[in-house]
Amino acid sequence: MQMKWDPKEEEFIRANKPIMDANKLTEELNKKFKTNRSKGSVDSKIQRMSLTKKKNHTTENGSEAALEIEGRKHTQQIREIADMINLNKEIKIKVTADKQNVPIRFIDGVVISKNSKFITVKSGNYKESFMCADFYTRKVEII
């Protein structure tokens, strides 16, 4: 016999689908409403409610939300790198090759410009801009 869906159950699914996988959602739904719905019935209800996403991005240990949180942390760390570097400050930089981590050049100069994405260093008559993300990935290091 098919159980009718209560509007409160539907609201629970709508509110928690973005933050729970189907197994956890089914478990919590059954616990909260004292039902015994199967994962298949919850999956079907999610589809009928048009809550499924066309493409689900996952990481090794989580959901799309976890991926977004991880990305925000990386972005914040890159901004912090930019904040640590001061204008008109003498700086020594080591630039490494992409994968081998072998130094390809060293730059000894002054920071003449910076924003949240780039830092520009002047050494003599030579200017070079570096992406803040390259400091984060260690392609460029302050020595």
Side-chain angles (χ1 to χ4, degrees):
M1 184 167 107
Q2 192 173 18
M3 290 175 50
K4 189 169 173 128
W5 287 90
D6 185 89
K8 290 181 181 180
E9 289 176 299
E10 291 175 348
E11 185 55 39
F12 180 85
I13 291 172
R14 194 172 285 109
N16 291 290
K17 172 63 177 116
I19 57 173
M20 292 183 191
D21 66 12
N23 290 328
K24 184 73 173 168
L25 185 62
T26 302
E27 180 184 323
E28 294 299 318
L29 179 82
N30 285 331
K31 193 185 302 180
K32 181 174 174 100
F33 295 99
K34 297 177 177 41
T35 59
N36 192 22
R37 296 193 185 273
S38 68
K39 179 184 172 291
S41 69
V42 173
D43 283 339
S44 294
K45 184 62 176 176
I46 289 167
Q47 288 179 346
R48 286 193 307 275
M49 292 172 68
S50 300
L51 297 177
T52 57
K53 295 182 180 179
K54 292 178 184 163
K55 192 172 185 181
N56 186 16
H57 300 282
T58 58
T59 60
E60 295 101 33
N61 57 346
S63 65
E64 189 174 341
L67 183 63
E68 183 176 342
I69 290 167
E70 186 177 327
R72 288 181 185 193
K73 285 179 186 175
H74 292 305
T75 301
Q76 181 59 36
Q77 290 170 336
I78 290 169
R79 285 188 187 125
E80 288 170 2
I81 289 168
D83 291 343
M84 289 185 328
I85 299 171
N86 298 320
L87 282 173
N88 302 318
K89 179 185 172 193
E90 295 263 337
I91 193 168
K92 292 182 183 185
I93 293 177
K94 175 177 79 171
V95 182
T96 58
D98 284 339
K99 294 180 182 175
Q100 297 89 10
N101 203 24
V102 176
I104 54 175
R105 69 182 174 281
F106 294 89
I107 298 170
D108 196 359
V110 176
V111 178
I112 61 168
S113 174
K114 78 171 195 164
N115 61 32
S116 63
K117 295 184 173 135
F118 293 97
I119 295 166
T120 304
V121 176
K122 181 178 180 183
S123 178
N125 292 330
Y126 176 72
K127 295 178 189 173
E128 186 167 354
S129 292
F130 302 97
M131 289 176 36
C132 294
D134 287 340
F135 287 91
Y136 177 74
T137 61
R138 304 222 184 263
K139 289 182 184 177
V140 178
E141 294 182 48
I142 298 171
I143 53 173

